[in-house]
Amino acid sequence: MNHYPSSILNLIKSFSKLPGVGGKTAERLAIHLLRAPLKEAEQLSRSIMELKEKTRLCSKCFSLSDSELCKICGDLSRDASLLCVVEHPADMVAIEKSGAFKGMYHILQGALSPMDNIGPDHLRIKELIERVVGGSVKEIVIATGTNVEGEATASYLAERLARYPARVSRIASGVPIGGDLKYIDQVTLKAAMEKRHEF
Amino acid sequence: MNHYPSSILNLIKSFSKLPGVGGKTAERLAIHLLRAPLKEAEQLSRSIMELKEKTRLCSKCFSLSDSELCKICGDLSRDASLLCVVEHPADMVAIEKSGAFKGMYHILQGALSPMDNIGPDHLRIKELIERVVGGSVKEIVIATGTNVEGEATASYLAERLARYPARVSRIASGVPIGGDLKYIDQVTLKAAMEKRHEF
C-alpha cells in the first residue's frame, strides 16, 4: 500500500473509514478519482463539506433539512391533520417511498431505551405533544420500529397522547418483528400503513 | 430518493458516480458521513482535492508521485542497473507488493493498441530509450500484460532495445494469459518475476 505517494495514500485511508469500504475498494476508488475529470472530484469534495455545513434538523418535525422548515413541513398540499411519528429520518424516507402517507411527520430522533440511558427527555416527545395540543391534528400514526424499544416507545406515546382528542393509531404489524424500518420493502410498508389500527 | 434535502441528495449523486457504488450504498455512505465527526468528513473532502492537486507523474519513471521524483527513483539503495517496464502505475504497485524486484521502474502509461489509435508516440517509449542509451542499465525486464496489446508492446520494445548492450528479458508466462497484472496474486507474480527469460 505504501508504494503510492502520500497524496493517494491519504485518500485511500479516508475512504477506508467509510462503512463497507475495505482497503482494495478504497484503492480502486482513489485510482478512479485520479483518472476522473477534475470537476467530478471537486463536486464530490464540495458535496461532502456542504453536507456537513448545510444539513440541519427541520424546526417543526426534526427531519433532515437544509432550511428552517423541511420540504414536507413547507408543503401546503399535504394533510396537516395527519401526523406520523417515526424514530429516524431514514424511516420517514422509507414511508415516503411507499407513497402510502400524505400527512406530516414527527421524527423522535430515536426510541426509548433504558439500557442506553435514553429516556423521554432525550427524544422529541415534548415537541410532539406541543404539536398535538394545538388541536389541528386529528390522527397520530405511531410508526416506531417493531423491536422492543420501538414498541415500548409506541406504548409510552399512546399513553401520553390518550388525554388529547386526536385518534392514536399504530402502523400495522405486517412489518416483520425485530426489523429495522428503513430496510423493509415498500409493498410491506404500504400494507402496514393501510392496516394501521387503534391502540 | 428526493425525500432528502438537496445537501444530502447532491452527495448521494456524487457517491453514485464512483465505480461499484449504487444508489443504496451511496445513501448509506452519505448518512454515515452526516453522523460522523466533522473532522472525518473534512479529511475525506480535503484528501480528494489534494489527490487532484498534488498527484503528478515522476519525471523519470512516470509512476504516480507527489514530488518531482517518486519514492523509488529517489531511493539510492535500489539497483539502478535493473529496469522493469510496466504499463500502469498499479502494475508497479503489484510488483512492489510481491517484493521480488529491487530495481527501478519505467511506466509506459499504457500498451500499444492500433484499435484504440495508441501508437509508440502515445507511450513513454522515447523516454525509456533515453534511459537505456545512458548505458548504466544492464537489464530491462519487460512486464507488460500478457494480453494481445501487452505482448505486442513487449515484442515492439524488445526489437527497439535489441541494439543496446542491455539484456532484455520478459516476465515469465506464469502470469495467466489475458489477465490484468494488478489483480494477480503476489506469489504468482513473484514466480513470474524469478522465471523471467531472454527474448
Side-chain angles (χ1 to χ4, degrees):
Chain A
M1 215 52 125
N2 56 359
H3 308 293
Y4 283 115
S6 56
S7 58
I8 300 180
L9 283 181
N10 289 341
L11 181 56
I12 293 177
K13 213 173 118 190
S14 289
F15 270 136
S16 301
K17 287 183 183 160
L18 295 175
V21 178
K24 276 268 169 193
T25 306
E27 189 181 339
R28 194 162 44 87
L29 294 179
I31 296 298
H32 165 84
L33 280 181
L34 194 63
R35 290 176 184 167
L38 179 62
K39 214 184 135 199
E40 187 183 327
E42 277 175 346
Q43 223 157 35
L44 177 58
S45 173
R46 201 178 336 109
S47 298
I48 292 169
M49 284 321 295
E50 287 189 358
L51 174 88
K52 299 301 270 189
E53 284 160 6
K54 294 192 178 168
T55 312
R56 45 188 287 185
L57 296 183
C58 169
S59 63
K60 197 171 177 185
C61 74
F62 304 99
S63 72
L64 298 169
S65 175
D66 46 13
S67 51
E68 175 74 15
L69 278 187
C70 72
K71 283 181 204 164
I72 291 176
C73 286
D75 183 350
L76 297 173
S77 74
R78 296 186 71 114
D79 187 352
S81 70
L82 210 53
L83 196 59
C84 179
V85 180
V86 295
E87 295 177 19
H88 301 287
D91 300 332
M92 184 202 85
V93 170
I95 294 176
E96 278 297 289
K97 281 181 185 166
S98 81
F101 185 74
K102 293 296 172 201
M104 301 303 208
Y105 289 91
H106 191 85
I107 289 93
L108 295 173
Q109 306 299 329
L112 294 174
S113 176
M115 296 280 283
D116 303 313
N117 267 325
I118 299 176
D121 294 345
H122 297 89
L123 306 177
R124 298 292 188 172
I125 292 177
K126 186 165 64 77
E127 290 86 351
L128 170 64
I129 304 289
E130 278 164 15
R131 291 179 76 178
V132 174
V133 164
S136 62
V137 177
K138 302 282 172 252
E139 180 177 350
I140 302 151
V141 186
I142 301 178
T144 52
T146 54
N147 52 10
V148 178
E149 290 84 5
E151 290 291 0
T153 308
S155 300
Y156 176 84
L157 289 179
E159 210 169 298
R160 285 283 301 267
L161 293 167
R163 74 175 76 172
Y164 303 101
R167 182 178 172 228
V168 179
S169 60
R170 176 85 168 111
I171 194 169
S173 59
V175 176
I177 302 302
D180 197 341
L181 219 71
K182 59 180 170 288
Y183 298 124
I184 294 163
D185 69 274
Q186 297 167 15
V187 178
T188 308
L189 260 176
K190 193 166 183 159
M193 182 59 78
E194 282 158 358
K195 287 183 203 156
R196 65 184 183 265
H197 56 81
E198 303 261 349
F199 260 95
Chain B
M1 217 49 129
N2 56 2
H3 309 293
Y4 283 117
S6 56
S7 58
I8 301 179
L9 282 181
N10 289 341
L11 181 56
I12 293 178
K13 213 172 119 190
S14 289
F15 270 136
S16 303
K17 286 183 185 160
L18 296 175
V21 178
K24 278 267 170 195
T25 305
E27 190 180 338
R28 194 161 45 87
L29 294 179
I31 296 298
H32 165 83
L33 280 181
L34 195 62
R35 290 176 184 168
L38 179 62
K39 212 184 137 200
E40 187 183 326
E42 277 176 346
Q43 223 159 35
L44 177 58
S45 173
R46 200 178 336 108
S47 298
I48 293 168
M49 285 321 295
E50 287 189 359
L51 173 88
K52 299 302 270 190
E53 284 160 7
K54 293 191 179 168
T55 313
R56 46 189 285 184
L57 296 182
C58 169
S59 62
K60 197 170 176 186
C61 75
F62 304 99
S63 72
L64 298 169
S65 175
D66 45 13
S67 50
E68 174 75 15
L69 278 188
C70 73
K71 284 181 203 163
I72 291 176
C73 285
D75 183 352
L76 297 173
S77 74
R78 296 187 71 114
D79 187 352
S81 71
L82 208 52
L83 196 58
C84 179
V85 180
V86 296
E87 293 177 20
H88 301 287
D91 301 330
M92 183 202 85
V93 171
I95 293 175
E96 279 298 289
K97 281 181 185 166
S98 82
F101 185 75
K102 294 294 172 203
M104 300 304 207
Y105 289 92
H106 191 85
I107 290 92
L108 294 173
Q109 306 299 329
L112 293 174
S113 176
M115 296 279 285
D116 303 312
N117 266 326
I118 299 176
D121 294 344
H122 297 90
L123 305 177
R124 298 293 189 171
I125 293 178
K126 185 166 65 77
E127 290 86 350
L128 170 64
I129 304 289
E130 278 163 15
R131 290 179 76 177
V132 174
V133 163
S136 62
V137 177
K138 302 278 172 257
E139 179 177 350
I140 302 152
V141 186
I142 301 179
T144 52
T146 54
N147 52 9
V148 178
E149 290 84 7
E151 290 291 358
T153 308
S155 300
Y156 177 84
L157 289 178
E159 208 170 297
R160 285 284 300 268
L161 293 166
R163 74 175 75 172
Y164 304 102
R167 182 178 171 230
V168 179
S169 61
R170 176 85 170 111
I171 194 169
S173 58
V175 177
I177 301 302
D180 197 341
L181 220 72
K182 61 179 169 291
Y183 298 124
I184 293 162
D185 70 274
Q186 297 168 16
V187 179
T188 309
L189 260 176
K190 193 165 182 158
M193 182 59 78
E194 282 159 357
K195 287 182 201 157
R196 66 183 183 265
H197 55 81
E198 305 261 348
F199 258 93

